[in-house]
C-alpha cells in the first residue's frame, strides 16, 4: 500500500467546492498517505508546481507551460451572482451591458479578472468596481449583502443558490470557461502515493474517461 505524503496546491474555491470528495475517497483507500493542502492563487500554485514545492496543483485552464502535464478534470463556467431581490435575479440570462449598470464586486487578480476586463473592453464598457477581493467566499458574502453584483464559477455557488442566499444568472454572451486541471511536472519522479492520487482524482472528477494528459 502507498505510504508517505503528498502536497497539493489549490485555491480557496477549489478546496471548498471541487476537491472534498476527491480527498475523502483518497483517504478512505490510502489511510497511510498524509495529504497536505496548500491554499494559494493561480500564480503561486504554478510557481510551486514548477519548483516542486508541491506535488500537484489544481489550476484554472489554460496552463501552457511546456514543463507541465495538464489533465482536465472539471468543466465550469462563470455566472453572474446577485441577491434574490436584485433586478438581475429575475432574468433568465444577463448581458454584460446590463450587469455593468450595477456596482461590481470583483476578484483582485487572476484568470477570471483578466477575462472580465477583456469582456468589458470588447463591449466598450467602464464598469463601476465597488470592491476587489482575493477570496471567492468573501466575494459571495459581500454580494449577498448587496454591496454589488459579482461573477463566480457555477460550481462555487450551487450551495448558496440552493439555500436561496444568492441567485446565479447565466451570461448572455459566449460563456467564459473556468475549466479546472490537475497539473504536475512532466519530469517528476512520481511516488506510489502520487500515482494513486492521480488515479483517484481522474476516476472521480474527470469530465471524460478518455481524457489523457496533454503532453
Amino acid at each position: 500500500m502507498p505510504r508517505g505524503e503528498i502536497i497539493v496546491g489549490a485555491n480557496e474555491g477549489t478546496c471548498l467546492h471541487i476537491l472534498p470528495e476527491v480527498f475523502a475517497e483518497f483517504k478512505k483507500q490510502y489511510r497511510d498517505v498524509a495529504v497536505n493542502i496548500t491554499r494559494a492563487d493561480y500564480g503561486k500554485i504554478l510557481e510551486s508546481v514548477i519548483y516542486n514545492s508541491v506535488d500537484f496543483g489544481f489550476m484554472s485552464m489554460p496552463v501552457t507551460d511546456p514543463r507541465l502535464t495538464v489533465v482536465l478534470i472539471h468543466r465550469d463556467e462563470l455566472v453572474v451572482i446577485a441577491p434574490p431581490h436584485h433586478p438581475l435575479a429575475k432574468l433568465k440570462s444577463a448581458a454584460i451591458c446590463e450587469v455593468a449598470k450595477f456596482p461590481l464586486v470583483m476578484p483582485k487578480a487572476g484568470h477570471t479578472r483578466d477575462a472580465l476586463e477583456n469582456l468589458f473592453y470588447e463591449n466598450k464598457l467602464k464598469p463601476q468596481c465597488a470592491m476587489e477581493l482575493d477570496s471567492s467566499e468573501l466575494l459571495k458574502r459581500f454580494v449577498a449583502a448587496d454591496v454589488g453584483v459579482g461573477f463566480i464559477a457555477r460550481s462555487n455557488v450551487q450551495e448558496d443558490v440552493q439555500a436561496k442566499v444568492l441567485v446565479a444568472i447565466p451570461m448572455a454572451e459566449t460563456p467564459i470557461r473556468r475549466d479546472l486541471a490537475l497539473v504536475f511536472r512532466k519530469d517528476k519522479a512520481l511516488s506510489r502515493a502520487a500515482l494513486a492520487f492521480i488515479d483517484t482524482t481522474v476516476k472521480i472528477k474527470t469530465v471524460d474517461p478518455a481524457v489523457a494528459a496533454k503532453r
Side-chain angles (χ1 to χ4, degrees):
M1 291 291 290
R3 297 176 182 272
E5 179 189 44
I6 59 170
I7 305 174
V8 179
N11 68 22
E12 180 183 49
T14 300
C15 288
L16 289 173
H17 303 290
I18 306 297
L19 296 182
E21 61 180 324
V22 172
F23 292 128
E25 180 62 27
F26 182 76
K27 289 299 294 183
K28 188 184 299 182
Q29 294 189 47
Y30 307 104
R31 296 180 180 179
D32 293 333
V33 180
V35 179
N36 189 335
I37 304 171
T38 300
R39 290 197 308 171
D41 60 22
Y42 179 95
K44 290 181 180 178
I45 296 170
L46 180 62
E47 181 179 299
S48 296
V49 173
I50 290 172
Y51 291 103
N52 275 319
S53 300
V54 300
D55 297 304
F56 302 103
F58 287 91
M59 303 170 61
S60 296
M61 295 183 70
V63 180
T64 57
D65 193 299
R67 293 170 289 183
L68 303 178
T69 292
V70 181
V71 183
L72 174 65
I73 64 160
H74 178 77
R75 290 194 180 278
D76 216 331
E77 65 182 31
L78 284 189
V79 292
V80 181
I81 56 172
H85 62 269
H86 196 278
L88 290 177
K90 302 175 183 178
L91 303 179
K92 291 184 178 181
S93 63
I96 194 66
C97 60
E98 289 295 320
V99 179
K101 295 177 182 178
F102 299 95
L104 300 178
V105 181
M106 298 279 282
K108 275 188 178 180
H111 279 182
T112 298
R113 181 61 182 261
D114 293 342
L116 291 171
E117 293 284 4
N118 289 337
L119 185 59
F120 288 127
Y121 178 79
E122 290 168 0
N123 286 272
K124 300 179 181 179
L125 297 169
K126 294 184 178 181
Q128 175 192 346
C129 186
M131 187 174 289
E132 295 178 310
L133 298 166
D134 58 5
S135 162
S136 59
E137 293 303 300
L138 279 178
L139 188 149
K140 290 191 297 182
R141 298 288 77 81
F142 280 107
V143 170
D146 209 12
V147 173
V149 176
F151 300 85
I152 202 164
R154 185 184 292 278
S155 60
N156 288 17
V157 76
Q158 289 177 349
E159 294 175 4
D160 303 89
V161 170
Q162 291 172 359
K164 299 184 178 179
V165 175
L166 291 168
V167 174
I169 309 110
M171 298 178 68
E173 288 79 12
T174 302
I176 296 177
R177 304 297 313 174
R178 301 306 315 133
D179 295 339
L180 190 71
L182 171 67
V183 180
F184 54 95
R185 284 192 64 110
K186 290 179 179 178
D187 61 359
K188 188 174 184 65
L190 295 171
S191 65
R192 292 178 66 187
L195 290 170
F197 182 75
I198 295 171
D199 183 62
T200 301
T201 303
V202 170
K203 282 182 178 178
I204 292 178
K205 298 302 297 186
T206 190
V207 295
D208 182 350
V211 170
K214 297 179 180 179
R215 299 183 182 273

